[in-house]
Amino acid sequence: MAALILHGAEAVNNLTLRGWAEAHHLSPAARLLAAGVVVASVVGRVSLSSMPSVPPVRLGTIALLATFLSGAIPEVSYLFIALAAAMLLAALTSQTTAARWWALLPGTMLLASPFRPHRPADQTWLVLSQLFLLAGALAAVRPRPGYLVKVK
C-alpha cells in the first residue's frame, strides 16, 4: 500500500532507487535503469561465485538489499531488517575472512548513524547506506576459481 502512496511530492519518502530517482526528477527510464543495474550486478556477481562457498546468510542479505533497492518497498522500518542482516553477516564471518566484514562498515555506519541530515537529504543518505551495504556484501563473495583464467 505504501508503494502506491509514495509518488509525486511524497517520493522523497520512498527509499528505493526508483523513489530516489523520482524525487530527484529523473526520467522513468533512469528509474528503471537504476533498478536494472542493481539486479544485473547481483546476478553477475553471484553467478561468478563458487556457490558452495557462499553462506546462505550472505545470499539472503544480498537478496534482501537488492529487493529493497530495486523493488517498490519504500518503508524505512524495513531498513532495520537490512541492518540486522548486515550485523548477522559480520558476526558469522569466520576468523580467516575477518577482513571481509570491513566492507560492510560504511553502509552500517550510514544506516545506524543518529546524525543524519533532514529531508530531502535524508532519503539520499538512506539509499546510499543500502547501496554501500549491498556493495559490501557483494565484495565479500569469493569468485569461482579460474573464472578469469582458462582452466585445463
Side-chain angles (χ1 to χ4, degrees):
M1 184 66 172
L4 300 173
I5 298 169
L6 298 177
H7 289 290
E10 291 296 319
V12 74
N13 295 317
N14 189 332
L15 300 180
T16 64
L17 282 174
R18 292 188 294 178
W20 182 87
E22 184 179 348
H24 288 83
H25 309 293
L26 299 178
S27 70
R31 297 175 207 161
L32 187 59
L33 180 65
V37 166
V38 168
V39 171
S41 65
V42 168
V43 169
R45 183 67 174 156
V46 171
S47 67
L48 291 176
S49 70
S50 175
M51 289 307 286
S53 69
V54 181
V57 69
R58 185 172 310 280
L59 286 176
T61 302
I62 289 169
L64 180 74
L65 288 165
T67 301
F68 286 168
L69 282 167
S70 63
I73 304 172
E75 292 291 321
V76 70
S77 58
Y78 292 168
L79 297 185
F80 293 119
I81 299 167
L83 182 60
M87 293 173 77
L88 181 64
L89 182 58
L92 293 179
T93 302
S94 68
Q95 291 296 328
T96 58
T97 59
R100 294 176 189 252
W101 75 267
W102 283 96
L104 296 169
L105 193 60
T108 303
M109 294 303 293
L110 279 176
L111 194 55
S113 174
F115 305 108
R116 284 199 300 269
H118 294 289
R119 294 194 205 295
D122 188 39
Q123 180 193 33
T124 300
W125 186 279
L126 292 172
V127 171
L128 190 61
S129 69
Q130 294 175 74
L131 284 170
F132 279 148
L133 281 175
L134 179 62
L138 286 174
V141 173
R142 286 180 279 185
R144 182 175 60 242
Y147 83 97
L148 287 179
V149 294
K150 244 184 176 177
V151 178
K152 293 182 181 185

